[in-house]
Amino acid sequence: MEHIGQGSSVAAPCHRTEVAYRLGFDYPQYFSRLFKKKIGLSPKAYRDENSVH
């Protein structure tokens, strides 16, 4: 679960699947579930809220 916090810094330009695999998750869906539980947003919602326009 400690990797989830890193996902928020790795996620910016990457798709959720790529981020999950980079962090060592075998299942992107599991990564998304844990990310949402820890961060409070889905990876996509987090990326949308934190992207530079």
Side-chain angles (χ1 to χ4, degrees):
M1 186 107 154
E2 63 194 46
H3 289 73
I4 297 299
Q6 294 173 352
S8 62
S9 63
V10 175
C14 302
H15 189 270
R16 165 192 64 123
T17 302
E18 184 178 345
V19 172
Y21 290 140
R22 282 185 184 185
L23 295 175
F25 288 88
D26 292 326
Y27 302 100
Q29 302 89 336
Y30 182 63
F31 165 75
S32 292
R33 194 173 331 131
L34 291 178
F35 188 95
K36 186 170 184 177
K37 185 176 182 178
K38 179 158 179 129
I39 305 297
L41 296 168
S42 69
K44 183 181 183 325
Y46 181 87
R47 184 179 62 210
D48 291 346
E49 285 190 11
N50 293 285
S51 65
V52 177
H53 295 290

